[in-house]
Amino acid sequence: MTAADASATRPGRATGVRPAHAAPSPVVCREAGSPGDLVAHFAVRHEVFVVEQAVFARSDRDERDARSSTVHVVGCCDGVVVGSVRLYELDARTGLWQGDRLAVLAPFRVHGLGAPLVRCAVALAGARGGRAMVAHIQLPNVAFFTRLGWEPVGGPETYVGLPHQQMRVALPSPERGASLARALAEGTDA
């Protein structure tokens, strides 16, 4: 691993200096494809859910993270992993998936990474044949998910010790999901 590779696995660490006049590179969201991606994915989650929000005491990782069927997604700004989300199938018979652990490092929340991360999770679940996805959304983020086409299910509930709203969205067809996932991985977010 080179120094640049090592730097890229630490969330929020730039691998180089971009001239002030250069346009920012596109936001890229994709399935974690390397051990470095996975390390960075977990580091983003730790920073947001353990350090910043104190939702978990030591670690937000659980048994789902060890399952080979769990999909870990990274969101990158200027080639650096600064966002994450994970998804997994809840019920193969009905095609129900769950998305959770959506996180973007605080300094990068103004870069518009949250929506592409959510769209990437939806696309990847659809590409795998899913029909619907649910998520437990922190109450301040319900309007954001509503703008992305998600609908509330029931009323607020306690999830990981905090008030959340369960929400649901229909997933795209496998073909459309695969196409959307490719576009997000290329930074075109079509």
Side-chain angles (χ1 to χ4, degrees), residues 121-148:
V122 167
L124 289 169
R128 286 166 166 80
R131 294 189 194 114
M133 178 178 277
V134 294
H136 299 276
I137 309 303
Q138 291 180 12
L139 296 183
N141 299 322
V142 168
F144 167 75
F145 275 80
T146 301
R147 284 191 303 273
L148 294 176

Side-chain angles (χ1 to χ4, degrees), residues 5 11 13 16 28 39 72 82 87-88 95 100 107 110-111 126 139 142 144-145 153 155 177 187:
D5 293 334
R13 306 267 190 231
V28 170
V39 167
H72 296 91
V82 296
L87 55 143
Y88 47 88
D100 66 13
V110 298
H111 291 264
L139 296 183
V142 168
F144 167 75
F145 275 80
V153 177

Side-chain angles (χ1 to χ4, degrees), residues 44-164:
V44 168
R45 286 175 31 188
H46 182 84
E47 180 65 26
V48 172
F49 296 118
V50 178
V51 176
E52 178 188 338
Q53 295 182 3
V55 174
F56 301 96
R58 291 188 194 100
S59 175
D60 76 309
R61 292 168 80 168
D62 60 25
E63 69 283 349
R64 293 237 183 245
D65 289 308
R67 296 180 185 168
S68 61
S69 58
T70 297
V71 181
H72 296 91
V73 176
V74 294
C76 305
C77 288
D78 292 328
V80 180
V81 174
V82 296
S84 62
V85 66
R86 77 173 179 183
L87 55 143
Y88 47 88
E89 189 173 50
L90 290 175
D91 186 340
R93 184 181 53 79
T94 64
L96 183 62
W97 282 68
Q98 180 161 328
D100 66 13
R101 304 298 202 270
L102 173 66
V104 176
L105 295 177
F108 296 89
R109 291 184 186 143
V110 298
H111 291 264
L113 184 58
L117 275 167
V118 172
R119 286 194 291 272
C120 189
V122 167
L124 289 169
R128 286 166 166 80
R131 294 189 194 114
M133 178 178 277
V134 294
H136 299 276
I137 309 303
Q138 291 180 12
L139 296 183
N141 299 322
V142 168
F144 167 75
F145 275 80
T146 301
R147 284 191 303 273
L148 294 176
W150 291 65
E151 296 180 355
V153 177
E157 59 190 16
T158 300
Y159 180 73
V160 295
L162 297 170
H164 281 72

